[in-house]
Amino acid sequence: MGVGKGVTAKAPRSLAAVLAVLTAGLLAAGCGGGDSPEKAKQTKAAGPPPVPSGFTQARAGRVAFAHPAGWKPVKQTPQGWSYAVEADGESGGTRAGVLTKVPQVPVARLVADTATIGVEANAVGVRRGAGRKVSVPGARDAVRVDYTYSLEEGKAADRRATDVSVVYGTESAVVIRVAGEQARLGPDQIEQIVRSIAIVP
């Protein structure tokens, strides 16, 4: 679940912490029972929102999102990513894409917490905002988390990222991540990408 190339590896969080997160998800999954007809209606795939001016749409499986037209698909996706695009001319720099190596559970908050553990194991100085529910067309549950971090020990947090953890269908889960240098990736740009996310047929 790498944040970017050139990451200085840190010791991962304790196994007990990871197991606690996964156990919480399994308990939550076991308490929900079957989906109601009303819930099933909410999970039907919908068309993606309009593509912002100067952006183009990408598809990765059932995930659709828009990104600046100059960003190009990477030839080799980072570990844990199934699809990624990067700003033209950058390698491991400003990036958006889809992570599929996440817990396949029906609770988006659990998926978000696990994704953040992966970031904290590979980056330094991670400052995470509170996870908040967001609406993603075609999804049954989605949580957004914004954070800043650095890739080098002793360096001020010079990068920002946003994860949108999405659950759709019965238990299918993905994380759409947008990350890059704060000087190159502004909040408005992230907002446009986040608002374009949808689960499609």
Side-chain angles (χ1 to χ4, degrees):
M1 244 181 264
V3 177
K5 293 180 183 177
V7 173
T8 303
K10 287 174 60 184
R13 288 200 165 209
S14 72
L15 180 59
V18 176
L19 290 176
V21 171
L22 295 177
T23 300
L26 294 175
L27 290 173
C31 295
D35 284 345
S36 66
E38 292 77 13
K39 191 69 166 179
K41 288 178 185 176
Q42 294 174 12
T43 64
K44 286 185 178 179
V51 176
S53 177
F55 280 53
T56 189
Q57 191 180 81
R59 280 284 302 264
R62 291 190 56 196
V63 179
F65 68 94
H67 60 80
W71 296 16
K72 305 298 180 187
V74 300
K75 293 180 180 178
Q76 185 173 356
T77 56
Q79 184 179 2
W81 299 57
S82 65
Y83 178 83
V85 291
E86 289 185 347
D88 198 21
E90 291 188 51
S91 179
T94 304
R95 170 186 297 157
V98 179
L99 289 79
T100 51
K101 289 189 177 179
V102 296
Q104 299 301 301
V105 294
V107 184
R109 192 166 298 279
L110 169 68
V111 179
D113 290 343
T114 307
T116 304
I117 289 173
V119 172
E120 291 174 340
N122 291 288
V124 294
V126 178
R127 294 179 61 103
R128 170 186 165 160
R132 60 189 193 272
K133 292 263 189 182
V134 292
S135 177
V136 171
R140 59 181 293 190
D141 191 18
V143 169
R144 172 179 175 166
V145 177
D146 299 287
Y147 51 95
T148 58
Y149 62 98
S150 173
L151 297 179
E152 299 178 25
E153 290 281 359
K155 188 175 182 180
D158 60 345
R159 303 178 72 87
R160 77 171 90 244
T162 294
D163 286 353
V164 179
S165 299
V166 178
V167 174
Y168 60 95
T170 53
E171 286 189 7
S172 299
V174 296
V175 173
I176 298 87
R177 177 171 290 167
V178 187
E181 295 177 13
Q182 294 191 44
R184 293 173 177 261
L185 181 64
D188 290 346
Q189 201 170 45
I190 290 177
E191 200 65 34
Q192 288 178 299
I193 295 171
V194 167
R195 290 182 179 180
S196 74
I197 299 169
I199 302 300
V200 294

